[in-house]
Structure formats: C-alpha cells, structure tokens
Amino acid sequence: MTRKPLMAGTWKMNKTIGEAVVLAQDISNNYDDRWKDNVDVVVCPPYVDLKPVKTVFEFDRVPVGIGAQNVYWEDAGAYTGEISVPMLTEIGCEWCIVGHSERRGLFGETNEDVNKKVKALIAAKINPIVCVGESLAVRDGGTTLEFVCAQVKAAFAGIDANLAANAVVAYEPIWAIGTGRTATPEQAQEVCKAIRETLAELFGAAVADEMRVLYGGSMNPGNVDLLVAEADIDGGLIGGAALKADSFIQLVNVCL
Ligand code: 13P
C-alpha cells in the first residue's frame, strides 16, 4: 500500500487575518500542479483566519485544504469561547488537529477530551490529526513507546475500524517542538512504526496500512528528506517552517 503523503502546516497563534491572507496567497501563487496527485497539502490557521484563507484557495481553485487547531465536541450551547464541529463544517474545514501537546500541557486537555473530539469530528467527516508525543523525561525514562501507544489507544477508544481510515496520527516529541532539536529519522521511525502497530491492533492491519502517520517537531527543509523517507512516516505536521511560504513550499515539494 502506498499512502499519499500529507504535509500540514499549523500556524499556531500566529497571523492576523491580513497576514494570513498574504501567506495563503503566497502559497497559492506557488502551487504546483503535481501536488494534486502526489501530496495532500493542508494549512491550519487560527479560527478567525479559516474563512479568509479558504476563500483565497477557493478563488484560485488550488486544492489546499484547511484545518482547525482545536474543536469542542458539543454541537452548540453554553460553552463560552468554544467552536463546534458544525461551525467548522460550514466553513469547509476538512481537517482538525486534536490533542496537540501545547493544548494538553497549557490548557489541560486530557486523553478523554481528545477521544470525545475525535469521535465528534469523525461523525462529521472532518479528518482528525491526532497529536501524540512524549516529554524528555519520558524519553529519558525509557518508556516512550508505551507512553505514545497508550495515547493512541485512548484517542481512538470506541471508534469503529470502518470510520478510522481517514484519521491521521502525528507523532510530535515534545522536546523537538519549536526547539530546533529534531528527532533523528531512526527515532521518529521507531515510534511511528509502533504507532502503526497499535493502529493495527485497534483497527486491523488493512486499515492501519491506509492510515497516515506524520512526524512533527522542528521539521525544516534541511531535515525533511530523511524523515519522510522512513517507511512509516507519511508526511509532516509543521509549525515554525510553515509560517513562511518559501520554507513550507520546499517541504511540500519534497513529496513530489
Ligand atoms: P515546530 O515545527 O515549530 O517545531 O512545531 C511543530 C508542531 O508543534 C506542529 O504541531
């Protein structure tokens, strides 16, 4: 099975609407016709930028998807400050990051929260990008694989195999995020392979073989080749290097 690579840029809490439109336009201007068949390209701007960014890509008719960085699992109601799945659907959002380590660490998101969000997204046919990854303390303690695979099992608990194939897992070691310290291709492959084995336990080998597992953490044009060359790494979830069109485009074009 050859999985189509996915390159997803997350802008985190960066880019006002004006700045977001400029960046989206810059990406659109550099769109390469070969992307369509060879790589799925997605950007995940802040909520308020989603619609303006989508409009740029729609107007230019370029197949770049948009994703949110978070969502709440209830459809509507008294949940001050939250954004629901139907709201994302109406904007034309096809993707949503869930369980990013910054949300887990800074905003108290639990494995149970992640599971509720994944279920709500899958029910609405928005593809979750589920982030998992260990701290330096866990890595140094030698329990990385157990820790990460437990996160994967918790995120997908109670989800049917026939609904899981479009979900994506992003392995993002916390110690590599925004630090310039990337996991080596061997380290990243070891964990991504264990993730795929866990997905096979949950959903069977055929579904696990279809699901994409990404690496994230200081991915940049200098280290991307060796990472995406690994058998179980199907693309990247990119932070800092996705904030400029030229570096993001270089990362995408590696998949051509
Ligand atoms: P950096 O690429 O800036 O390390 O961020 C990775 C990340 O957290 C993507 O979700």
Side-chain angles (χ1 to χ4, degrees), residues 149-186:
C149 294
Q151 284 184 320
V152 172
K153 283 186 185 156
F156 289 105
I159 289 166
D160 268 11
N162 60 355
L163 297 175
N166 290 330
V168 172
V169 179
Y171 168 54
E172 301 208 305
I174 296 170
W175 47 270
I177 295 178
T179 58
R181 186 182 161 192
T182 324
T184 64
E186 295 74 24

mmCIF file of all heavy atoms in Angstrom, residues 149-186:
data_model
loop_
_atom_site.group_PDB
_atom_site.id
_atom_site.type_symbol
_atom_site.label_atom_id
_atom_site.label_comp_id
_atom_site.label_asym_id
_atom_site.label_seq_id
_atom_site.Cartn_x
_atom_site.Cartn_y
_atom_site.Cartn_z
ATOM 1 N N CYS A 149 1.936 4.936 22.617
ATOM 2 C CA CYS A 149 0.908 3.983 22.170
ATOM 3 C C CYS A 149 -0.316 4.035 23.077
ATOM 4 O O CYS A 149 -1.452 3.857 22.605
ATOM 5 C CB CYS A 149 1.492 2.583 22.062
ATOM 6 S SG CYS A 149 2.748 2.509 20.748
ATOM 7 N N ALA A 150 -0.119 4.323 24.358
ATOM 8 C CA ALA A 150 -1.275 4.489 25.262
ATOM 9 C C ALA A 150 -2.079 5.729 24.851
ATOM 10 O O ALA A 150 -3.321 5.716 24.891
ATOM 11 C CB ALA A 150 -0.799 4.609 26.713
ATOM 12 N N GLN A 151 -1.399 6.780 24.442
ATOM 13 C CA GLN A 151 -2.116 7.976 23.958
ATOM 14 C C GLN A 151 -2.941 7.644 22.714
ATOM 15 O O GLN A 151 -4.075 8.107 22.557
ATOM 16 C CB GLN A 151 -1.129 9.101 23.625
ATOM 17 C CG GLN A 151 -0.552 9.819 24.837
ATOM 18 C CD GLN A 151 0.341 10.980 24.404
ATOM 19 O OE1 GLN A 151 1.108 10.872 23.445
ATOM 20 N NE2 GLN A 151 0.250 12.085 25.116
ATOM 21 N N VAL A 152 -2.357 6.840 21.822
ATOM 22 C CA VAL A 152 -3.073 6.463 20.590
ATOM 23 C C VAL A 152 -4.324 5.648 20.936
ATOM 24 O O VAL A 152 -5.418 5.914 20.437
ATOM 25 C CB VAL A 152 -2.155 5.667 19.639
ATOM 26 C CG1 VAL A 152 -2.930 5.093 18.456
ATOM 27 C CG2 VAL A 152 -1.009 6.548 19.140
ATOM 28 N N LYS A 153 -4.157 4.672 21.833
ATOM 29 C CA LYS A 153 -5.304 3.819 22.213
ATOM 30 C C LYS A 153 -6.401 4.660 22.852
ATOM 31 O O LYS A 153 -7.581 4.472 22.565
ATOM 32 C CB LYS A 153 -4.847 2.742 23.199
ATOM 33 C CG LYS A 153 -4.119 1.615 22.526
ATOM 34 C CD LYS A 153 -3.809 0.500 23.514
ATOM 35 C CE LYS A 153 -2.974 -0.565 22.821
ATOM 36 N NZ LYS A 153 -2.179 -1.355 23.739
ATOM 37 N N ALA A 154 -6.015 5.589 23.702
ATOM 38 C CA ALA A 154 -7.014 6.427 24.386
ATOM 39 C C ALA A 154 -7.739 7.323 23.383
ATOM 40 O O ALA A 154 -8.953 7.503 23.453
ATOM 41 C CB ALA A 154 -6.335 7.268 25.460
ATOM 42 N N ALA A 155 -7.005 7.868 22.431
ATOM 43 C CA ALA A 155 -7.605 8.793 21.457
ATOM 44 C C ALA A 155 -8.657 8.091 20.603
ATOM 45 O O ALA A 155 -9.673 8.680 20.243
ATOM 46 C CB ALA A 155 -6.517 9.389 20.568
ATOM 47 N N PHE A 156 -8.403 6.809 20.288
ATOM 48 C CA PHE A 156 -9.286 6.102 19.359
ATOM 49 C C PHE A 156 -10.216 5.102 20.052
ATOM 50 O O PHE A 156 -10.855 4.295 19.378
ATOM 51 C CB PHE A 156 -8.458 5.394 18.282
ATOM 52 C CG PHE A 156 -7.810 6.346 17.303
ATOM 53 C CD1 PHE A 156 -6.455 6.622 17.356
ATOM 54 C CD2 PHE A 156 -8.576 6.979 16.327
ATOM 55 C CE1 PHE A 156 -5.855 7.502 16.453
ATOM 56 C CE2 PHE A 156 -7.994 7.861 15.427
ATOM 57 C CZ PHE A 156 -6.632 8.123 15.490
ATOM 58 N N ALA A 157 -10.299 5.179 21.366
ATOM 59 C CA ALA A 157 -11.149 4.223 22.094
ATOM 60 C C ALA A 157 -12.589 4.311 21.599
ATOM 61 O O ALA A 157 -13.142 5.401 21.450
ATOM 62 C CB ALA A 157 -11.087 4.518 23.593
ATOM 63 N N GLY A 158 -13.175 3.151 21.314
ATOM 64 C CA GLY A 158 -14.593 3.115 20.951
ATOM 65 C C GLY A 158 -14.900 3.554 19.530
ATOM 66 O O GLY A 158 -16.063 3.763 19.189
ATOM 67 N N ILE A 159 -13.878 3.679 18.698
ATOM 68 C CA ILE A 159 -14.113 4.106 17.305
ATOM 69 C C ILE A 159 -14.074 2.885 16.376
ATOM 70 O O ILE A 159 -13.185 2.042 16.481
ATOM 71 C CB ILE A 159 -13.094 5.182 16.893
ATOM 72 C CG1 ILE A 159 -13.448 6.479 17.651
ATOM 73 C CG2 ILE A 159 -13.097 5.419 15.381
ATOM 74 C CD1 ILE A 159 -12.398 7.513 17.634
ATOM 75 N N ASP A 160 -15.054 2.816 15.494
ATOM 76 C CA ASP A 160 -15.157 1.683 14.573
ATOM 77 C C ASP A 160 -14.044 1.693 13.534
ATOM 78 O O ASP A 160 -13.713 2.748 12.989
ATOM 79 C CB ASP A 160 -16.467 1.798 13.778
ATOM 80 C CG ASP A 160 -17.579 1.061 14.464
ATOM 81 O OD1 ASP A 160 -17.377 0.657 15.636
ATOM 82 O OD2 ASP A 160 -18.634 0.889 13.825
ATOM 83 N N ALA A 161 -13.553 0.510 13.207
ATOM 84 C CA ALA A 161 -12.481 0.403 12.211
ATOM 85 C C ALA A 161 -12.903 1.005 10.866
ATOM 86 O O ALA A 161 -12.096 1.631 10.180
ATOM 87 C CB ALA A 161 -12.095 -1.058 12.027
ATOM 88 N N ASN A 162 -14.193 0.857 10.518
ATOM 89 C CA ASN A 162 -14.601 1.343 9.188
ATOM 90 C C ASN A 162 -14.694 2.876 9.119
ATOM 91 O O ASN A 162 -14.917 3.439 8.053
ATOM 92 C CB ASN A 162 -15.904 0.671 8.721
ATOM 93 C CG ASN A 162 -17.057 0.946 9.669
ATOM 94 O OD1 ASN A 162 -16.857 1.562 10.708
ATOM 95 N ND2 ASN A 162 -18.240 0.500 9.309
ATOM 96 N N LEU A 163 -14.524 3.549 10.268
ATOM 97 C CA LEU A 163 -14.540 5.022 10.260
ATOM 98 C C LEU A 163 -13.158 5.617 10.488
ATOM 99 O O LEU A 163 -12.983 6.832 10.448
ATOM 100 C CB LEU A 163 -15.494 5.533 11.356
ATOM 101 C CG LEU A 163 -16.963 5.165 11.196
ATOM 102 C CD1 LEU A 163 -17.761 5.627 12.416
ATOM 103 C CD2 LEU A 163 -17.534 5.792 9.927
ATOM 104 N N ALA A 164 -12.184 4.751 10.740
ATOM 105 C CA ALA A 164 -10.894 5.249 11.220
ATOM 106 C C ALA A 164 -9.901 5.614 10.114
ATOM 107 O O ALA A 164 -8.974 6.396 10.340
ATOM 108 C CB ALA A 164 -10.254 4.215 12.134
ATOM 109 N N ALA A 165 -10.114 5.090 8.904
ATOM 110 C CA ALA A 165 -9.048 5.145 7.895
ATOM 111 C C ALA A 165 -8.588 6.564 7.535
ATOM 112 O O ALA A 165 -7.413 6.773 7.219
ATOM 113 C CB ALA A 165 -9.495 4.410 6.629
ATOM 114 N N ASN A 166 -9.492 7.525 7.599
ATOM 115 C CA ASN A 166 -9.092 8.892 7.221
ATOM 116 C C ASN A 166 -8.470 9.684 8.365
ATOM 117 O O ASN A 166 -8.017 10.813 8.155
ATOM 118 C CB ASN A 166 -10.289 9.674 6.674
ATOM 119 C CG ASN A 166 -10.707 9.149 5.315
ATOM 120 O OD1 ASN A 166 -9.878 8.655 4.553
ATOM 121 N ND2 ASN A 166 -11.998 9.213 5.024
ATOM 122 N N ALA A 167 -8.479 9.121 9.546
ATOM 123 C CA ALA A 167 -7.840 9.817 10.664
ATOM 124 C C ALA A 167 -6.322 9.734 10.506
ATOM 125 O O ALA A 167 -5.796 8.801 9.895
ATOM 126 C CB ALA A 167 -8.276 9.198 11.987
ATOM 127 N N VAL A 168 -5.654 10.720 11.056
ATOM 128 C CA VAL A 168 -4.199 10.818 10.934
ATOM 129 C C VAL A 168 -3.623 10.907 12.350
ATOM 130 O O VAL A 168 -4.245 11.497 13.233
ATOM 131 C CB VAL A 168 -3.842 12.095 10.139
ATOM 132 C CG1 VAL A 168 -2.343 12.361 10.134
ATOM 133 C CG2 VAL A 168 -4.376 12.011 8.710
ATOM 134 N N VAL A 169 -2.467 10.304 12.543
ATOM 135 C CA VAL A 169 -1.763 10.470 13.824
ATOM 136 C C VAL A 169 -0.487 11.244 13.547
ATOM 137 O O VAL A 169 0.225 10.947 12.580
ATOM 138 C CB VAL A 169 -1.425 9.104 14.468
ATOM 139 C CG1 VAL A 169 -0.669 9.308 15.774
ATOM 140 C CG2 VAL A 169 -2.695 8.288 14.718
ATOM 141 N N ALA A 170 -0.215 12.240 14.378
ATOM 142 C CA ALA A 170 1.048 12.980 14.249
ATOM 143 C C ALA A 170 1.897 12.702 15.473
ATOM 144 O O ALA A 170 1.484 13.010 16.605
ATOM 145 C CB ALA A 170 0.773 14.474 14.115
ATOM 146 N N TYR A 171 3.060 12.112 15.241
ATOM 147 C CA TYR A 171 3.999 11.890 16.344
ATOM 148 C C TYR A 171 4.852 13.142 16.510
ATOM 149 O O TYR A 171 5.629 13.502 15.614
ATOM 150 C CB TYR A 171 4.890 10.674 16.064
ATOM 151 C CG TYR A 171 6.055 10.599 17.027
ATOM 152 C CD1 TYR A 171 5.826 10.614 18.402
ATOM 153 C CD2 TYR A 171 7.368 10.556 16.583
ATOM 154 C CE1 TYR A 171 6.878 10.600 19.309
ATOM 155 C CE2 TYR A 171 8.429 10.518 17.478
ATOM 156 C CZ TYR A 171 8.172 10.552 18.837
ATOM 157 O OH TYR A 171 9.214 10.543 19.726
ATOM 158 N N GLU A 172 4.682 13.782 17.653
ATOM 159 C CA GLU A 172 5.403 15.024 17.917
ATOM 160 C C GLU A 172 6.078 14.956 19.283
ATOM 161 O O GLU A 172 5.442 15.271 20.307
ATOM 162 C CB GLU A 172 4.428 16.207 17.914
ATOM 163 C CG GLU A 172 3.671 16.377 16.620
ATOM 164 C CD GLU A 172 3.291 17.830 16.391
ATOM 165 O OE1 GLU A 172 2.647 18.449 17.267
ATOM 166 O OE2 GLU A 172 3.680 18.360 15.341
ATOM 167 N N PRO A 173 7.334 14.525 19.306
ATOM 168 C CA PRO A 173 8.033 14.517 20.594
ATOM 169 C C PRO A 173 8.107 15.950 21.138
ATOM 170 O O PRO A 173 8.526 16.871 20.424
ATOM 171 C CB PRO A 173 9.426 13.978 20.244
ATOM 172 C CG PRO A 173 9.555 14.034 18.765
ATOM 173 C CD PRO A 173 8.190 14.121 18.174
ATOM 174 N N ILE A 174 7.678 16.128 22.376
ATOM 175 C CA ILE A 174 7.558 17.487 22.927
ATOM 176 C C ILE A 174 8.912 18.194 22.928
ATOM 177 O O ILE A 174 8.996 19.389 22.664
ATOM 178 C CB ILE A 174 6.956 17.431 24.353
ATOM 179 C CG1 ILE A 174 5.527 16.864 24.280
ATOM 180 C CG2 ILE A 174 6.933 18.808 25.011
ATOM 181 C CD1 ILE A 174 4.915 16.524 25.632
ATOM 182 N N TRP A 175 9.963 17.434 23.153
ATOM 183 C CA TRP A 175 11.306 18.014 23.232
ATOM 184 C C TRP A 175 11.814 18.491 21.866
ATOM 185 O O TRP A 175 12.825 19.183 21.786
ATOM 186 C CB TRP A 175 12.291 17.009 23.846
ATOM 187 C CG TRP A 175 12.197 15.626 23.264
ATOM 188 C CD1 TRP A 175 11.391 14.619 23.706
ATOM 189 C CD2 TRP A 175 12.902 15.108 22.119
ATOM 190 N NE1 TRP A 175 11.543 13.501 22.914
ATOM 191 C CE2 TRP A 175 12.467 13.771 21.942
ATOM 192 C CE3 TRP A 175 13.854 15.637 21.247
ATOM 193 C CZ2 TRP A 175 12.945 12.959 20.914
ATOM 194 C CZ3 TRP A 175 14.336 14.835 20.233
ATOM 195 C CH2 TRP A 175 13.884 13.515 20.076
ATOM 196 N N ALA A 176 11.097 18.149 20.808
ATOM 197 C CA ALA A 176 11.527 18.566 19.461
ATOM 198 C C ALA A 176 10.689 19.726 18.925
ATOM 199 O O ALA A 176 10.986 20.262 17.857
ATOM 200 C CB ALA A 176 11.439 17.380 18.503
ATOM 201 N N ILE A 177 9.646 20.121 19.663
ATOM 202 C CA ILE A 177 8.738 21.152 19.146
ATOM 203 C C ILE A 177 9.288 22.539 19.412
ATOM 204 O O ILE A 177 9.506 22.921 20.572
ATOM 205 C CB ILE A 177 7.328 21.000 19.764
ATOM 206 C CG1 ILE A 177 6.696 19.680 19.316
ATOM 207 C CG2 ILE A 177 6.448 22.186 19.402
ATOM 208 C CD1 ILE A 177 5.325 19.416 19.909
ATOM 209 N N GLY A 178 9.527 23.259 18.336
ATOM 210 C CA GLY A 178 9.974 24.644 18.455
ATOM 211 C C GLY A 178 11.366 24.792 19.055
ATOM 212 O O GLY A 178 11.781 25.881 19.442
ATOM 213 N N THR A 179 12.101 23.702 19.143
ATOM 214 C CA THR A 179 13.400 23.738 19.817
ATOM 215 C C THR A 179 14.560 23.705 18.830
ATOM 216 O O THR A 179 15.700 23.932 19.213
ATOM 217 C CB THR A 179 13.558 22.501 20.730
ATOM 218 O OG1 THR A 179 13.407 21.320 19.918
ATOM 219 C CG2 THR A 179 12.526 22.502 21.840
ATOM 220 N N GLY A 180 14.265 23.364 17.585
ATOM 221 C CA GLY A 180 15.340 23.188 16.615
ATOM 222 C C GLY A 180 16.016 21.837 16.780
ATOM 223 O O GLY A 180 16.919 21.474 16.033
ATOM 224 N N ARG A 181 15.584 21.080 17.785
ATOM 225 C CA ARG A 181 16.168 19.752 18.021
ATOM 226 C C ARG A 181 15.208 18.700 17.458
ATOM 227 O O ARG A 181 14.202 18.380 18.066
ATOM 228 C CB ARG A 181 16.325 19.578 19.542
ATOM 229 C CG ARG A 181 17.033 18.315 19.908
ATOM 230 C CD ARG A 181 17.136 18.150 21.412
ATOM 231 N NE ARG A 181 17.401 16.756 21.694
ATOM 232 C CZ ARG A 181 17.326 16.217 22.891
ATOM 233 N NH1 ARG A 181 16.970 16.937 23.924
ATOM 234 N NH2 ARG A 181 17.583 14.935 23.039
ATOM 235 N N THR A 182 15.515 18.208 16.260
ATOM 236 C CA THR A 182 14.620 17.249 15.613
ATOM 237 C C THR A 182 14.927 15.842 16.088
ATOM 238 O O THR A 182 16.085 15.534 16.379
ATOM 239 C CB THR A 182 14.871 17.260 14.088
ATOM 240 O OG1 THR A 182 15.155 18.579 13.700
ATOM 241 C CG2 THR A 182 13.691 16.745 13.321
ATOM 242 N N ALA A 183 13.913 14.992 16.138
ATOM 243 C CA ALA A 183 14.186 13.569 16.350
ATOM 244 C C ALA A 183 14.991 13.075 15.152
ATOM 245 O O ALA A 183 14.795 13.562 14.033
ATOM 246 C CB ALA A 183 12.878 12.801 16.463
ATOM 247 N N THR A 184 15.881 12.121 15.378
ATOM 248 C CA THR A 184 16.586 11.546 14.230
ATOM 249 C C THR A 184 15.566 10.729 13.432
ATOM 250 O O THR A 184 14.553 10.284 13.977
ATOM 251 C CB THR A 184 17.716 10.596 14.673
ATOM 252 O OG1 THR A 184 17.130 9.487 15.363
ATOM 253 C CG2 THR A 184 18.726 11.299 15.556
ATOM 254 N N PRO A 185 15.826 10.501 12.148
ATOM 255 C CA PRO A 185 14.906 9.668 11.366
ATOM 256 C C PRO A 185 14.686 8.303 12.023
ATOM 257 O O PRO A 185 13.566 7.790 12.029
ATOM 258 C CB PRO A 185 15.614 9.531 10.015
ATOM 259 C CG PRO A 185 16.461 10.760 9.914
ATOM 260 C CD PRO A 185 16.901 11.072 11.319
ATOM 261 N N GLU A 186 15.730 7.743 12.627
ATOM 262 C CA GLU A 186 15.595 6.412 13.260
ATOM 263 C C GLU A 186 14.677 6.497 14.481
ATOM 264 O O GLU A 186 13.823 5.632 14.693
ATOM 265 C CB GLU A 186 16.977 5.873 13.692
ATOM 266 C CG GLU A 186 17.929 5.585 12.543
ATOM 267 C CD GLU A 186 18.515 6.862 11.909
ATOM 268 O OE1 GLU A 186 18.580 7.919 12.588
ATOM 269 O OE2 GLU A 186 18.893 6.803 10.714
#
